[in-house]
Structure formats: C-alpha cells, structure tokens
C-alpha cells in the first residue's frame, strides 16, 4: 500500500511552482497524493519566510499539523521552502514535532527524505541553492485554465529590506527552449492563461547574455499557436525598456496588464532601499505605459514605514498614489528582516505608525478603484468564469485586468445558458460591489 502524502504550500506563486514539482516527483515515485493534508501520513509544509506575517503563518500551519501528529493521525512532518532555508537548525530546535527540515536545494531529494523519516531518522538537508531545479514535471494545483510559468529563480537586486537573495540565491534564468516547450504543453492541455513569474521577470536572460531576453521570450511565446493569453508579473520599473514596452503594445496575446513593484516614490527612500528612480522617473514611466499601451492595467506594490520615512516622505507617497491612480495596488508595512541592511539602519519607525500609514494608502486606493469600477458600468467585457457563489446566488470570474489571487472579481448572473468553469464569456457590467464588478452574462 502506498504512503499518503499531503502538502500545504504557502506564500507566492513561485513557491507554489516548487511545490508542484515536488508533488510530481512524489507521484512518479509511487506515493499517493491527497488534497487534504489532514488525511495524509506524511505532511509537507512548503513555507514562506519573506516577512513576519508570512513566517507566522508558516509556524501556525506546522503547529496545527503537530497536533494531528500527537493524535496519531499523521506520522511525519516535513518542512520545506523559504522558512526552512532561512532558519535551518532553528526550525527543528524550536518545533520538535518536525521530522525533517530541508532547504530549497533539497527539493529534488524529497523521496529520499520521506523514506528516511518513515524509517525513524530525522533529516536536515541544506545543499547548495543552485541544486533547485528550474525544469521538470509538475502536478499543477491551479485550476485547469491558468498556470504559472516560472522563468527564473533567485534575485540579484539586493534591495536593503529584502532577504530573498539570502534565501533563494543569485538570479538564474531558465533555458528559453524549456520555457517554450512547457508553455506549448500547458496550452495544448487546455491552459488559457499563462502567467510568467520570477523574482524579477524583466531581468530574464541577463545572467545568460548580459541583457534582458524577456522581449524575445514573449515574442516567441506569442508565436506558439496554442497559446491564448500571457500575463506578466514582477517587472521592475528600471527595466521597462522601450523594446519591452513595444512588445507589450504589439502582441495581442499579451494581456494589457503589468505588475511593476515600485515600493516608494521618494528618491531618498528609494536610494536607502538600494533601488533607482524617484517620483519624476516613475511618473514618466506610468505616463509612457499609458500612452503606448492604451487601456493598460498597471499594478504596483508600495511600502510604508521604511526606516527614516518622514511625514513629508509619506505625504509625497500619498500624493503620488492620488496622482497616478493605479488600477491595482497593494501596500505593505515595512518589516525589519534579520540580517538585512535596512534592519540595521537608524530611524526605525514604530509598528503603529507603519501600519497606520499602510492603512491610509489602502483607503486612498479603495476610493480610486471604486471610481474606476464605476466607469466600467455599461461596458461589455470578457470574463473567465471561475465558479458559482451559492450564497450570493451568482457566478463569478476574472476580467483580463485581474490576476488570480491578488485582484478583484466580476460577479454575474444569467437567465438561460449556464457557463462552464474556464469559459471565456462576455459580461455586461451593470453595477459595482465596492471595487468588484457586477453584471449579466451576454452570449
């Protein structure tokens, strides 16, 4: 009888892809994969360790599984992912119910690790980060109509607040031929939306040829007949070249949606973050994108409460948000991460101030997004149907302006024909629900 293995994967989509590759390795080795980790014999927690809230979520998940282990429902707990890589021996020391802690470079040894822990041997494996494979099979955990396509691993940006280079290592681009092959395979299996991800997608290829190959990669992906839509996440503002913008503008398969993490607009704060740019350059970039790519949806990420951020710095950020009117925006309060340069800086702000400023930015953005949503009333847009909400008694889905998990929804009703999950349909927008849209399914 095969061993039942369940996995909980936390954090970003990049971590999700790592989890999917481990699941594929396990399935090929003959393990039985179960969706409900509480029904497993071996439970794997693929952790996130990026910021304090993510670390706490990972720890809470481990503790919950530990209680099931005490009840005899689970035989072993294995911790993988960023928290495992970052804190190594501390995880086993502080959470004695854990049977194995392995770094990201040991993901391809997950079968060996499970066999060892089931034999009663605790495991701690931390090989070189470069042993994390960029290629290989996956057991996809996303709905059939979209999939993440990881094009690189690690990061060379070295922002002073970020521990990712320490956790994930240097930036490594995946071979283009392998990306193209997987994209074609996924599209032929019914995936309609391929979402390109990396810590910095716009850096793709720099480690291979000394310049970004993202424009070329996107062009070649668009040339694959079976590919329907491409969505690109995590492009850094300083790498939004004219060449890349031209590709976005001319290729119909690329959704007119781009995620550009800006973090702040104050030139002084950005310099302390080890990031280029200032309010003037960022404003110019947004203007260029909107001029060259009409109808584009721009998503950005901002941070409040970075060390030494003054009331004047925050006021400038607030003015910037109101002026730019980003279609999508997320804001986080700065988290002082161990062993990062920013954590050692003078001028650390108290948690109340950081959080309050974050809430103010998000309140501004809610108003902007509500206004943008109202402008959609009367339009007919394309929506991918994602399910039926039995409480609201209506269907829901996403527009091209919404990425999975981070953006909004479109709720709609229909009188006759019922759409299937994954169908791309037309919805006439008739109303709004806060920042979400509401409408009717029109054939």
């Amino acid at each position: 009888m095969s061993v039942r293995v369940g996995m909980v994967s936390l954090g970003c989509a990049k971590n999700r892809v790592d989890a999917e590759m481990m699941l594929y390795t396990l399935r090929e080795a003959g393990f039985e994969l179960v969706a409900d980790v509480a029904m497993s014999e071996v439970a794997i927690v693929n952790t996130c360790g990026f910021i304090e809230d993510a670390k706490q979520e990972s720890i809470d998940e481990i503790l919950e599984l530990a209680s099931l282990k005490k009840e005899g429902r689970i035989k072993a707990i294995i911790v993988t992912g960023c928290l495992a890589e970052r804190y190594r021996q501390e995880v086993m020391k502080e959470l004695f119910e854990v049977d194995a802690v392995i770094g990201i470079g040991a993901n391809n040894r997950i079968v060996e690790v499970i066999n060892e822990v089931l034999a009663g041997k605790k495991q701690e494996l931390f090989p070189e980060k470069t042993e994390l494979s960029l290629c290989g099979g996956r057991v996809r955990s996303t709905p059939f109509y979209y999939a993440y396509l990881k094009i690189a691993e690690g990061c060379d940006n070295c922002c002073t607040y970020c521990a990712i280079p320490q956790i994930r290592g240097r930036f490594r681009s995946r071979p283009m031929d392998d990306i193209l092959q997987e994209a074609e395979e996924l599209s032929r299996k019914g995936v309609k939306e391929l979402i390109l991800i990396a810590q910095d997608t716009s850096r793709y290829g720099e480690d291979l040829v000394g310049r970004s190959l993202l424009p070329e990669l996107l062009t070649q992906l668009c040339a694959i007949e079976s590919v329907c839509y491409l969505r690109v996440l995590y492009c850094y503002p300083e790498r939004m070249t004219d060449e890349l913008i031209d590709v976005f503008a001319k290729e119909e398969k690329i959704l007119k949606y781009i995620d550009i993490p800006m973090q702040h607009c104050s030139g002084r704060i950005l310099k302390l973050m080890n990031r280029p740019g200032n309010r003037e350059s960022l404003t110019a970039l947004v203007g260029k994108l909107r001029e060259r790519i009409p109808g584009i949806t721009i998503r950005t990420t901002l941070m409040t409460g970075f060390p030494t951020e003054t009331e004047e710095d925050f006021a400038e950020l607030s003015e910037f948000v109101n002026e730019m009117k980003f279609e999508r925006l997320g804001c986080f309060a700065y988290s002082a991460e161990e062993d990062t340069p920013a954590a050692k800086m003078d001028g650390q702000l108290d948690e109340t101030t950081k959080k309050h400023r974050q809430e103010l930015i998000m309140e501004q953005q809610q108003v902007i997004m509500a206004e943008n949503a109202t402008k959609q009333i009367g339009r007919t847009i394309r929506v991918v149907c994602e399910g039926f909400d039995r409480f609201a008694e209506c269907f829901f889905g996403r527009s091209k302006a919404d990425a999975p998990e981070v953006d909004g929804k479109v709720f709609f009703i229909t009188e006759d024909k019922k759409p299937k999950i994954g169908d791309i349909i037309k919805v006439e927008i008739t109303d709004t629900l806060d920042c979400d849209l509401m409408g009717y399914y029109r054939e």
Side-chain angles (χ1 to χ4, degrees), residues 284-315:
L285 173 61
V286 171
K288 179 189 288 187
L289 288 168
R290 287 177 172 159
E291 178 183 357
R292 303 258 295 268
I293 313 173
I296 190 172
T297 294
I298 301 175
R299 159 172 274 279
T300 195
T301 305
L302 301 176
M303 181 187 298
T304 57
F306 189 81
T308 77
E309 182 187 58
T310 63
E311 288 288 351
E312 290 75 18
D313 293 323
F314 176 70

Side-chain angles (χ1 to χ4, degrees), residues 14-130:
K14 299 177 288 293
N15 210 36
R16 179 197 283 264
V17 172
D18 292 347
E20 293 174 342
M21 293 178 72
M22 280 192 282
L23 290 172
Y24 178 85
T25 301
L26 291 168
R27 188 182 68 184
E28 292 300 294
F31 290 91
E32 179 187 351
L33 305 182
V34 295
D36 185 356
V37 72
M39 302 302 293
S40 66
E41 295 170 87
V42 177
I44 302 172
V45 185
N46 192 39
T47 60
C48 179
F50 182 46
I51 59 175
E52 191 60 39
D53 288 348
K55 287 185 283 188
Q56 190 58 54
E57 182 185 19
S58 296
I59 293 169
D60 290 344
E61 187 66 45
I62 295 168
L63 292 174
E64 187 174 335
L65 291 172
S67 66
L68 296 179
K69 185 182 177 186
K70 288 178 182 178
E71 296 172 8
R73 296 169 59 184
I74 290 175
K75 292 181 180 179
I77 300 172
I78 298 172
V79 179
T80 65
C82 290
L83 188 78
E85 179 67 45
R86 188 174 185 187
Y87 293 102
R88 301 194 170 194
Q89 285 76 24
E90 289 117 297
V91 176
M92 190 89 74
K93 182 179 179 182
E94 298 294 330
L95 303 166
F96 58 87
E97 299 91 349
V98 171
D99 298 279
V101 183
I102 66 172
I104 62 172
N107 282 4
N108 62 339
R109 297 167 64 180
I110 189 65
V111 171
E112 169 194 332
V113 171
I114 289 180
N115 288 334
E116 290 292 320
V117 298
L118 289 177
K121 301 175 184 177
K122 296 249 182 181
Q123 296 288 294
E124 292 180 288
L125 293 177
F126 303 100
E128 290 296 321
K129 299 174 180 64
T130 52

Side-chain angles (χ1 to χ4, degrees), residues 161-328:
Y161 54 82
C162 183
I164 291 298
Q166 301 169 32
I167 298 170
R168 290 280 174 171
R170 298 292 304 272
F171 186 86
R172 294 185 294 136
S173 296
R174 182 178 173 188
M176 189 178 297
D177 287 345
D178 191 74
I179 297 171
L180 296 173
Q181 180 181 341
E182 184 179 19
E184 187 166 10
E185 290 173 356
L186 289 168
S187 299
R188 286 180 174 175
K189 291 177 181 177
V191 173
K192 298 175 181 177
E193 180 180 343
L194 291 172
I195 306 169
L196 273 63
I197 55 171
Q199 198 63 36
D200 178 357
T201 53
S202 48
R203 189 186 278 268
Y204 175 75
E206 282 191 8
D207 56 316
L208 302 177
V209 298
R211 60 181 176 83
S212 175
L213 292 176
L214 184 59
E216 180 181 338
L217 174 62
L218 289 172
T219 301
Q220 292 207 37
L221 284 168
C222 290
I224 299 174
E225 186 176 352
S226 57
V227 167
C228 291
Y229 297 121
L230 298 172
R231 189 184 299 274
V232 185
L233 304 184
Y234 318 128
C235 285
Y236 278 54
E238 63 271 22
R239 295 190 179 86
M240 287 303 304
T241 62
D242 287 339
E243 180 187 15
L244 182 56
I245 294 172
D246 285 343
V247 173
F248 267 86
K250 75 177 183 180
E251 293 290 355
E252 294 183 0
K253 291 184 178 181
I254 300 177
L255 297 176
K256 307 315 176 197
Y257 173 109
I258 190 164
D259 177 35
I260 308 177
M262 297 181 182
Q263 305 306 344
H264 214 283
C265 71
S266 162
R268 185 184 71 83
I269 294 294
L270 286 169
K271 186 175 182 179
L272 288 173
M273 290 178 170
N274 194 34
R275 296 178 66 107
N278 51 38
R279 182 174 179 179
E280 182 180 25
S281 66
L282 294 173
T283 299
L285 173 61
V286 171
K288 179 189 288 187
L289 288 168
R290 287 177 172 159
E291 178 183 357
R292 303 258 295 268
I293 313 173
I296 190 172
T297 294
I298 301 175
R299 159 172 274 279
T300 195
T301 305
L302 301 176
M303 181 187 298
T304 57
F306 189 81
T308 77
E309 182 187 58
T310 63
E311 288 288 351
E312 290 75 18
D313 293 323
F314 176 70
E316 183 179 8
L317 183 64
S318 178
E319 291 170 2
F320 178 68
V321 171
N322 276 331
E323 180 184 341
M324 293 297 97
K325 298 192 182 302
F326 293 104
E327 287 78 12
R328 305 287 183 266

